[in-house]
Amino acid sequence: MTNKITLDNQICFQISRAHQLFNKFYQEPLSKFNLTYVQYVTLLSLWEKDGVTVNYLSQKLGLSNGTLTPLLKRLEKADWITRKRDKKDERRVLVKLTEHGKKQEKTITSSVQGCLNRLNYDDKTFQQTMNTILDVQDRLEKSANKED
């Protein structure tokens, strides 16, 4: 690429700005449940696959254990999840949804979906956008692996 380096044509800046805007955007539907965006995506991951290890969540969400542990403690204190040592391997901590966490899935996802509908994506544009974002992630992962 030979574009002049300016703030507005930096992919990293535009993604960072979109990230900031999404965090603010998600505050509206999630505030009703006293959830942050990161707590929401953690619950979303557990709604897809419950009873997983902290390490699994760490990899799935791209968060360090140091970031994830206090987040999980807050979710546990608010009765969304439980954390228990694995009886087969005491080094592993299993994370499971509580009944409260399970029951809230449809309400929360409906609230978020209602908010997302305001973006006015048709199915084709949504999929194209997702493909572009996944392409950027893939390129970054490949680039990081070349440095190892």
Side-chain angles (χ1 to χ4, degrees), residues 3-144:
N3 290 344
K4 182 176 186 227
I5 295 178
T6 64
L7 185 59
D8 287 341
N9 76 3
Q10 296 296 292
I11 293 173
C12 57
F13 175 73
Q14 297 303 342
I15 289 174
S16 177
R17 184 71 182 121
H19 176 74
Q20 291 169 347
L21 291 167
F22 261 113
N23 277 339
K24 187 175 179 179
F25 184 74
Y26 273 85
Q27 280 177 344
E28 178 191 335
L30 296 177
S31 65
K32 298 180 249 185
F33 307 99
N34 294 315
L35 291 171
T36 65
Y37 171 75
V38 179
Q39 290 171 330
Y40 165 68
V41 295
T42 302
L43 290 173
L44 197 56
S45 179
L46 290 168
W47 290 324
E48 291 174 9
K49 185 176 181 182
D50 196 11
V52 298
T53 64
V54 171
N55 285 340
Y56 172 88
L57 281 175
S58 176
Q59 289 186 348
K60 178 82 172 169
L61 300 171
L63 299 172
S64 71
N65 283 354
T67 299
L68 192 56
T69 298
L71 180 145
L72 293 174
K73 284 181 180 180
R74 287 190 299 276
L75 285 172
E76 186 174 39
K77 188 175 180 181
D79 193 38
W80 291 99
I81 63 159
T82 61
R83 295 176 306 140
K84 304 266 189 229
R85 293 258 172 221
D86 187 346
K87 290 177 183 172
K88 296 175 189 167
D89 184 348
E90 288 286 320
R91 295 170 295 179
R92 297 171 12 135
V93 175
L94 298 175
V95 181
K96 293 185 179 183
L97 291 162
T98 61
E99 281 307 308
H100 169 72
K102 291 175 186 176
K103 286 180 183 176
Q104 293 295 315
E105 178 182 3
K106 285 189 174 136
T107 306
I108 293 171
T109 55
S110 291
S111 181
V112 169
Q113 187 61 50
C115 191
L116 287 173
N117 288 342
R118 294 192 335 236
L119 296 177
N120 295 319
Y121 274 113
D122 59 54
D123 289 344
K124 182 179 178 186
T125 306
F126 177 84
Q127 194 55 58
Q128 288 171 336
T129 302
M130 286 297 292
N131 289 343
T132 299
I133 293 167
L134 292 170
D135 178 64
V136 170
Q137 289 176 359
D138 184 57
R139 289 170 187 267
L140 289 169
E141 286 171 357
K142 285 178 181 171
S143 176

